[in-house]
Amino acid sequence: MSDARANFVRDIFLYACRTRVDIMPFVSTLVDLLNRQSADVPDRPALRFLERGEVTGPIATWTYADLTMCARAIARWLRSQGVQPGDRVILLYPTGLEFIAVFFGCLMARVVAVPAWPPEPPRMARGVAAVEAIARDCAPTAVLTTSAFAGFAAAMAEQLPGLAALRLLPTDAVAATTDDVLPVSPDPTALAFLQYTSGSTGSPKGVRVTHANLLANQQMIGQAMRIAPGAEVMGWLPLYHDMGLIGNVIQTIYVGGSLTFISPMHFIERPLRWLEAISRFRAYVSGAPNFAYALCTRKAAGADLSALDLSSWKTAFVGAEPVRSDTLSAFVDRFAPHGFDRRALMPTYGLAEATLFVSGAHAVDGLVVTTTADGPPVVGCGPAAEGVEIAIVDVERRVRQPERVEGEIWVRGPIVTAGYWGDPRQNQEEFGQRLEDRDGWLRTGDLGFLAQGQLYVTGRAKDVLIIRGRNVYPQDLEQVAERASPAVRPGCAAAFAIPGEDGTEAVGLAVEVRQDVDDAALPALAEAIAAAVSGASLASVSRLLLLRPHSLPKTSSGKVRRQPTRHALDQGEIAPRYQWTRPTGRPTAAGTDTHALCTALRAAVAERLGCAPAAVPLDQPLDELGFDSVASMELLEQVRVLVGVHVPAELMAEAPTLRWLADAVGGAPPEAPPVRSTTPATKAPALLLDPSWMDDF
């Protein structure tokens, strides 16, 4: 396309956005959408997967014609396997092209896709339990996956009976042919897929997302983000979550653009790969949670950024966790010399129950930050998307709150989904609420206020913490704390979110201890509680307060009030007996000698857990010590700096202990990755390193 024609097409699109004209007026389902793009731009690259995460590495590319052909083959094959319209099928795939083809194949076959993350080391038991819970909820006809994972599940049938009981169908042998008939498009109101938003407690909840929901949300995203037809998009977010699937994959196809993507593991291993891909492929739009911007800023220190050019990046959306102005300001300061324009920043708000996108706006004049009468500064997440209503509600009185007065965020519009799969009680509590004589309101469970048309998100009514994009339930942390020592009073612990030092939320914990506990024993008690919670919850405690009996605010029925606890501690209204904070400081030297490396690694782990190095076991898997994906990759980076040995991220999929890791690294030649043996049949294929940190985007 010539430059003049491209500019003309862009002008038409922007006019359509200004006048609220849908650029896809004759498309009513995602199947129609893909078929139309395949007919209009068959040879345009739809997907580019950087297989090693590097712009200089191998790239797997599919055109729109390729994607459509593969999806149609999957649709026909599903019918041959007895999978009928309306059946549910769980999708267990690593990041890559195959997942996307299978997802669209399910849509074409009118089969309900259920994206999930594959169980793998080092959290196999937890992963299997999650898949089993989803299967119990949605009763799938089959599980679609790779041959490698199906073989592993068969070999481990005795150890993993729940997984073996499911019908696993590998799809990597399905051949794409040109004689596949054009599928019949489903009804726009039909269920497209189930988006599960399960956390660490309770049963998983599958959000019922329809084709109509998706297309309405796609139009809103395109308008708000000003994405022109044929735009370049870049992403690393997990494909099985709404932000990666709807915000990256489906939005790209909606505008007939090209998506370049890498796996989340490769991003966490080296965050600057994200920015390098934006620079190399001239991406117009890309985004991530707040913590990703903080990671890139931190990792840029000392890095060679001379080839980085971010001038093409016009929409940098931020969502999925609290947006922090200091994080984004630091990002702008660091990358403005490399072409990044602060006006590209776009704080957003959304949730799976509203398909994905609810509000957002570019920070044209800088980030919009304001406060309530007595609250901290909050970043504005833009006005409601076109066609969406937002109300701030006093839940007790069922009335709207005035401007700048905090309440629960309620949402109404075509993006509100059809509720949870098989959960009428929860549907009644959250969906179809009535306000001011109008039905159809969704209770989001989030807190916020409106000011001059902007939405400001201030917290969560349900007290859920979001640590690096992963939901962490406070009751889990509190239960572990209570069991850590008999000195802790039962039912007297409160966990809450506090600002983290790296742009994310961190864990704060307050516990009451028995009156007869001696003051001299409090430091050791605090370390024991912090280590126990960090190890059990995969979320390290940053601040721990030991309180006297009857200090915690509680309801009349005896339930701990977490947010009032945090507020009272911040205001000095509760005086702790002892306050502990996670120590800082890093080991600075080590040799390749295994013992010296063990000592250094032990010190690094102790720093994160907030305990003495001697208390860190050398033969306990790192995930059991509380190491999530980000922490694991940072530990590998410390190894590289300490001993000059490159350690591939895949080693962390082996469920390493510190001793095992030190042995593996100590035996590797400097600056070369250790040779990895062929994966035996009884070992799970390496798929994605702990993707649970992206839960509930």
Side-chain angles (χ1 to χ4, degrees):
M1 181 183 294
S2 68
D3 290 343
R5 179 170 174 77
N7 290 336
F8 173 76
V9 170
R10 177 175 173 80
D11 289 343
I12 291 295
F13 176 80
L14 293 178
Y15 172 78
C17 289
R18 289 194 300 269
T19 56
R20 278 62 172 176
V21 176
D22 189 352
I23 64 173
M24 286 289 174
F26 305 113
V27 166
S28 59
T29 70
L30 293 189
V31 176
D32 295 338
L33 175 64
L34 181 57
N35 288 335
R36 176 164 173 174
Q37 300 293 24
S38 181
D40 290 349
V41 288
D43 298 324
R44 177 176 295 167
L47 305 167
R48 300 187 199 94
F49 178 51
L50 310 188
E51 296 179 348
R52 296 176 186 168
E54 300 288 350
V55 296
T56 56
I59 303 174
T61 303
W62 279 0
T63 65
Y64 277 93
D66 295 332
L67 175 58
T68 304
M69 184 170 61
C70 291
R72 290 178 184 175
I74 292 292
R76 189 174 63 174
W77 175 81
L78 285 171
R79 295 293 176 84
S80 73
Q81 300 299 309
V83 182
Q84 299 299 316
D87 287 353
R88 278 78 58 206
V89 292
I90 295 177
L91 276 53
L92 295 181
Y93 291 91
T95 301
L97 301 175
E98 188 176 0
F99 170 90
I100 300 173
V102 172
F103 177 80
F104 276 95
C106 290
L107 297 177
M108 290 179 174
R110 289 177 285 165
V111 171
V112 179
V114 185
W117 62 275
E120 61 176 333
R123 298 167 179 86
M124 179 59 66
R126 177 176 151 202
V128 170
V131 173
E132 291 174 347
I134 291 174
R136 285 193 301 271
D137 189 62
C138 70
T141 298
V143 174
L144 307 183
T145 188
T146 63
S147 296
F149 187 79
F152 162 76
M156 297 292 289
E158 291 187 6
Q159 294 92 330
L160 305 172
L163 187 62
L166 300 173
R167 182 190 181 198
L168 270 63
L169 297 178
T171 60
D172 36 6
V174 178
T177 60
T178 57
D179 60 351
D180 287 301
V181 297
L182 192 68
V184 177
S185 184
D187 187 294
T189 62
L191 187 59
F193 75 106
L194 292 177
Q195 177 67 63
Y196 271 87
T197 60
S198 59
S200 55
T201 63
S203 301
K205 297 184 293 185
V207 178
R208 298 183 293 169
V209 186
T210 68
H211 287 269
N213 292 147
L214 288 164
L215 288 179
N217 213 234
Q218 293 308 308
Q219 182 181 359
M220 294 169 187
I221 293 172
Q223 290 176 351
M225 297 189 181
R226 304 195 295 268
I227 307 175
E232 288 286 347
V233 183
M234 196 281 149
W236 56 265
L237 301 167
L239 300 180
Y240 52 83
H241 272 294
D242 52 4
M243 201 171 177
L245 178 59
I246 300 173
N248 284 343
V249 176
I250 299 177
Q251 178 61 28
T252 298
I253 294 173
Y254 183 78
V255 300
S258 300
L259 171 66
T260 302
F261 66 107
I262 64 176
S263 79
M265 181 182 74
H266 285 140
F267 164 75
I268 294 298
E269 183 182 32
R270 194 168 72 81
L272 292 180
R273 286 172 170 153
W274 176 31
L275 306 187
E276 290 167 357
I278 291 173
S279 175
R280 164 65 177 81
F281 294 98
R282 312 308 298 150
Y284 179 92
V285 59
S286 187
N290 188 88
F291 86 87
Y293 292 86
L295 271 180
C296 286
T297 302
R298 192 166 78 242
K299 296 300 182 181
D304 180 8
L305 305 179
S306 59
L308 197 65
D309 178 7
L310 302 178
S311 60
S312 67
W313 195 5
K314 303 303 183 185
T315 296
F317 61 86
V318 194
E321 63 183 12
V323 180
R324 292 183 52 170
S325 60
D326 55 346
T327 295
L328 301 185
S329 295
F331 184 88
V332 170
D333 291 344
R334 187 64 187 84
F335 294 103
H338 302 279
F340 184 77
D341 188 340
R342 62 180 177 80
R343 294 173 296 181
L345 289 173
M346 184 177 181
T348 63
Y349 168 71
L351 66 164
E353 288 82 353
T355 308
L356 174 64
F357 181 76
V358 172
S359 73
H362 284 81
V364 176
D365 299 314
L367 295 172
V368 182
V369 181
T370 190
T371 65
T372 55
D374 57 353
V378 187
V379 176
C381 291
E386 180 69 19
V388 174
E389 295 179 78
I390 294 177
I392 305 300
V393 180
D394 179 332
V395 178
E396 295 297 326
R397 298 187 297 147
R398 293 291 174 121
V399 296
R400 290 180 188 255
Q401 295 283 51
E403 187 162 285
R404 293 184 180 272
V405 176
E406 187 182 69
E408 187 173 16
I409 301 171
W410 288 24
V411 174
R412 187 174 185 270
I415 59 173
V416 174
T417 61
Y420 299 120
W421 177 269
D423 195 344
R425 181 191 61 80
Q426 199 75 23
N427 289 338
Q428 186 176 6
E429 292 179 0
E430 297 185 22
F431 292 85
Q433 294 294 308
R434 189 173 182 81
L435 179 67
E436 298 176 344
D437 298 325
R438 288 192 298 167
D439 297 321
W441 290 93
L442 166 69
R443 291 187 61 177
T444 68
D446 293 319
L447 301 176
F449 62 90
L450 292 169
Q452 297 182 329
Q454 288 260 350
L455 173 67
Y456 296 84
V457 183
T458 58
R460 287 169 297 281
K462 297 180 180 178
D463 295 324
V464 181
L465 292 77
I466 301 180
I467 308 299
R468 299 191 188 276
R470 179 173 59 88
N471 275 17
V472 175
Y473 287 78
Q475 53 267 44
D476 287 354
L477 309 183
E478 293 156 3
Q479 186 179 62
V480 174
E482 291 170 15
R483 294 176 177 175
S485 169
V488 178
R489 301 185 69 233
C492 295
F496 42 83
I498 60 175
E501 60 185 17
D502 58 353
T504 70
E505 286 191 349
V507 177
L509 185 63
V511 299
E512 294 181 5
V513 297
R514 294 199 328 264
Q515 191 66 47
D516 59 355
V517 176
D518 190 82
D519 287 348
L522 295 180
L525 175 60
E527 283 201 4
I529 295 172
V533 173
S534 297
S537 68
L538 306 179
S540 298
V541 177
S542 292
R543 182 187 181 200
L544 173 63
L545 301 106
L546 302 183
L547 310 179
R548 293 175 176 78
H550 312 296
S551 296
L552 289 174
K554 293 187 177 183
T555 66
S556 58
S557 60
K559 295 180 180 178
V560 171
R561 302 176 64 201
R562 300 182 181 97
Q563 298 310 318
T565 296
R566 173 185 173 179
H567 180 78
L569 289 167
D570 288 342
Q571 298 300 314
E573 297 170 4
I574 300 176
R577 287 185 64 188
Y578 180 80
Q579 179 167 293
W580 172 96
T581 55
R582 192 170 66 201
T584 58
R586 299 182 183 279
T588 56
T592 53
D593 172 74
T594 298
H595 177 74
L597 186 55
C598 270
T599 300
L601 292 176
R602 209 173 198 177
V605 173
E607 172 200 343
R608 180 166 290 273
L609 298 183
C611 62
V616 177
L618 292 175
D619 298 305
Q620 186 172 354
L622 285 173
D623 69 298
E624 295 180 11
L625 297 177
F627 269 62
D628 60 10
S629 294
V630 174
S632 297
M633 292 306 130
E634 290 181 339
L635 184 64
L636 291 190
E637 176 64 13
Q638 286 184 257
V639 171
R640 188 194 68 77
V641 172
L642 288 167
V643 299
V645 174
H646 170 71
V647 186
E650 288 78 4
L651 279 183
M652 302 308 285
E654 304 285 352
T657 65
L658 289 181
R659 194 188 307 278
W660 184 96
L661 184 60
D663 288 341
V665 172
E671 295 302 332
V675 178
R676 191 177 182 186
S677 60
T678 303
T679 303
T682 54
K683 184 176 292 185
L687 297 174
L688 179 63
L689 183 63
D690 185 23
S692 62
W693 54 269
M694 300 291 279
D695 275 357
D696 297 310
F697 257 12

